[in-house]
Amino acid sequence: MNIVCLDMEGVLVPEIWVAFAKTSGIPELKRTTRDEPDYDKLMRWRMQILREHGLGLKEIQDVISKIDPLPGAKEFVDRLRAETQVIVLSDTFSQFAQPLMKKLGWPTIFCNELVVGADGMLEGVKMRCEHSKLTTVKGLQAIGFDTIAAGDSFNDLEMLQASKAGFLFRSTEQIKKDYPQFPTYEEYDDLFDAIMAVLN
């Protein structure tokens, strides 16, 4: 039995922090897991910048409400879900993900939670578990699933390496160069065909 594990940002939807950086006029917030492998360090840095600018959850959610899935993403997810089980594995937060999952037709997502103060400021993060994508993939394998994974960033590499098949989708040139063992795709149709080849 197979299950497909997809990253969210950069694969199905635009990078939330990049969109927020553009809207807020704070270019430092464009830094993502494509640039910084240490997610805890990245989030602490982001929260510090938000505090310095007096920005909280509401301002980020206002930006997210205007974000649409990447062109073709919903159709890709729909086609995939008609063939096999699909889970979105993301290091994002439930407070960010819900409106995006609605636009994608409510696929299952495993993600984390933000700790938000009474003033609406981000105070911390509640991670589901350490190495959440790798841990989830191993958990799925432990209950009888073969995993097939696709992602674009440093924080996806562990789940790609641990899966029966792993694919890079619209990744950076550096990651593609450093991890040539993973086939890379730029279009949903090509990724779909590659996944189907593994399933069949």
Side-chain angles (χ1 to χ4, degrees):
M1 294 195 296
N2 295 285
I3 194 161
V4 175
C5 301
L6 301 173
D7 177 40
M8 185 180 83
E9 292 178 73
V11 173
L12 301 175
V13 304
E15 293 280 352
I16 290 168
W17 289 98
V18 171
F20 186 69
K22 289 176 184 172
T23 303
S24 64
I26 306 172
E28 304 97 291
L29 289 174
K30 287 183 180 175
R31 192 166 177 78
T32 72
T33 51
R34 287 171 166 234
D35 313 299
E36 173 55 68
D38 187 332
Y39 190 71
D40 290 339
K41 178 180 174 184
L42 179 63
M43 279 307 302
R44 287 194 302 272
W45 182 75
R46 286 167 169 168
M47 288 188 290
Q48 179 62 38
I49 292 173
L50 290 171
R51 276 193 292 273
E52 289 170 3
H53 289 84
L55 297 169
L57 179 60
K58 182 187 181 304
E59 288 80 10
I60 301 171
Q61 287 178 326
D62 287 346
V63 172
I64 292 171
S65 71
K66 299 178 180 70
I67 295 175
D68 288 322
L70 293 166
K74 183 181 185 303
E75 293 78 5
F76 166 70
V77 171
D78 288 346
R79 286 178 73 196
L80 213 46
R81 290 172 73 192
E83 299 290 340
T84 189
Q85 297 295 311
V86 176
I87 296 179
V88 179
L89 297 184
S90 177
D91 281 335
T92 194
F93 308 97
S94 55
Q95 295 97 326
F96 289 2
Q98 190 168 7
L100 298 167
M101 292 303 100
K102 182 178 181 180
K103 291 179 181 179
L104 285 167
W106 297 112
T108 298
I109 182 169
F110 291 173
C111 61
N112 305 302
E113 285 189 15
L114 289 164
V115 179
V116 183
D119 58 358
M121 301 298 286
L122 306 192
E123 294 185 346
V125 298
K126 194 183 295 182
M127 303 297 281
R128 244 180 350 99
C129 54
E130 285 192 29
H131 299 275
S132 61
K133 296 183 183 187
L134 174 63
T135 303
T136 303
V137 159
K138 285 188 170 179
L140 291 167
Q141 292 166 352
I143 58 171
F145 287 100
D146 285 325
T147 57
I148 301 163
D152 70 323
S153 297
F154 284 109
N155 64 334
D156 298 315
L157 295 171
E158 287 183 328
M159 75 168 177
L160 269 60
Q161 289 167 331
S163 292
K164 178 167 75 169
F167 304 107
L168 288 170
F169 185 71
R170 297 180 183 171
S171 190
T172 65
E173 290 306 315
Q174 190 62 52
I175 291 174
K176 288 189 280 190
K177 180 182 170 188
D178 291 345
Y179 296 88
Q181 67 267 43
F182 299 124
T184 65
Y185 299 100
E186 299 295 320
E187 302 298 331
Y188 289 115
D189 285 349
D190 295 334
L191 179 58
F192 179 83
D193 290 344
I195 292 170
M196 290 308 297
V198 177
L199 291 176
N200 296 325

